[in-house]
Structure formats: structure tokens, C-alpha cells
Amino acid sequence: MVIYGVSFDMVGKQPIVLLKTVDSNKFLPIWIGHPEAAAILMKLQGQTTPRPMTHDLLVDMLGELEVKCTQVAVTELKDNTFFAQITLTVGDRTLQIDSRPSDALALAVRSGAPIFAAEDVIAESAIEFEHDVEDTEEVVDRFKEFLDQVTPEDFAGESGE
């Protein structure tokens, strides 16, 4: 998956991160909090702060401890909530850490870790465009049009992270 953009639903102004499958036109919308949306957007836009923000601090600490974030994954959708895992390696050990998707994504954009989503999560919650769309602005515009017509309650899971 790749982070295709961060938008806001038109009704509640709640931030949404839009993940896209690499090999298809399926998009996974995940409603997230404002601080996490800001953290993701800042890094995607190449912005920096004078002092490290929480996710920057976490990446710095992992680096100092010689721990590598090897991947993040949206693993399941349960009771209208997405779950994620962060995979870390330290020496020959691999650790799986439970996470909110927004924090896992903020960490992934800072560490360069690949992003995955479980097939059943994609099957249950992804939106698929019928034709190839290569222009990011077109996808975001079409997604915003779609959002004008729905609320988080129309989906199982997007409303509560």
C-alpha cells in the first residue's frame, strides 16, 4: 500500500488517510485524528519542526537503539475499529507491536518502512475505481465527491480508529 493522500470528510471535518493498493485501483480510507493527520502530512510535504515531534522522536530513539522498523500493516477491522501492527527488528529478533493505523503510518513515512493491509481488510473496506487513475488530484477530487455523499457510519469501521 502507499499513502495516496490525506483529506477531510465534508460533514465532520474528520481527517482521512487514503491508502492505495500498489497493483490495483483499490483505495482504503481510514478516519484518523487531527494530530496524526498533521504528523503524516508534515512528513509527506517535507516539513520539519525546530524540535522533534512524537513520531520523529520515536524514530530517533529506535535508531539510537539500533532497532529497525521493517514494515507496518493494517491487520484487521473489528467492531468498527482498524488495528495495525508495527514490525521491528533488533539484531536477530523480530517484534510485532500493536498500534493504531495512524501512528503506524506516521512511523512508516519517517522510517521508510513499507505499508501493507490484510486482504480481508481491503476486501471489506476498500473503494475501487472502475478505470485506471494516475493523476493524484483526480483521485482526491473523485474521493472528495464520494465523501460528500457518505458518512463514516456508511462503512463498517472507518469512524473509530
Side-chain angles (χ1 to χ4, degrees):
M1 307 285 299
V2 294
I3 297 177
Y4 213 73
V6 177
S7 188
F8 296 87
D9 75 36
M10 303 314 276
V11 177
K13 302 295 184 201
Q14 187 72 21
I16 303 166
V17 65
L18 187 61
L19 300 179
K20 181 189 180 299
T21 56
V22 174
D23 57 355
S24 72
N25 282 321
K26 292 182 181 177
F27 295 83
L28 182 63
I30 302 175
W31 273 252
I32 62 175
H34 288 274
E36 295 81 11
I40 293 168
L41 276 172
M42 282 183 63
K43 188 62 179 177
L44 290 176
Q45 295 172 349
Q47 298 175 356
T48 59
T49 57
R51 304 287 299 147
M53 300 301 288
T54 304
H55 298 97
D56 300 309
L57 177 63
L58 180 57
V59 169
D60 291 346
M61 290 171 61
L62 292 173
E64 287 296 320
L65 295 169
E66 297 182 7
V67 177
K68 183 175 179 174
C69 178
T70 54
Q71 76 173 42
V72 302
V74 179
T75 55
E76 69 178 309
L77 176 60
K78 184 170 72 174
D79 298 327
N80 295 330
T81 301
F82 284 103
F83 290 79
Q85 281 192 338
I86 299 168
T87 302
L88 302 174
T89 56
V90 56
D92 59 354
R93 290 181 54 205
T94 299
L95 306 167
Q96 302 288 328
I97 309 296
D98 182 38
S99 175
R100 298 182 306 170
S102 56
D103 289 324
L105 294 170
L107 182 62
V109 296
R110 284 164 174 76
S111 65
I115 301 165
F116 296 92
E119 289 296 326
D120 57 334
V121 171
I122 294 170
E124 188 173 344
S125 297
I127 300 162
E128 185 169 11
F129 286 114
E130 294 180 12
H131 68 282
D132 287 342
V133 181
E134 294 186 16
D135 180 15
T136 302
E137 286 186 32
E138 180 183 348
V139 170
V140 172
D141 289 345
R142 292 182 69 188
F143 186 62
K144 284 181 180 179
E145 289 172 16
F146 171 77
L147 290 176
D148 285 341
Q149 303 166 20
V150 298
T151 66
E153 290 77 26
D154 292 329
F155 293 90
E158 284 83 306
S159 63
E161 184 189 10

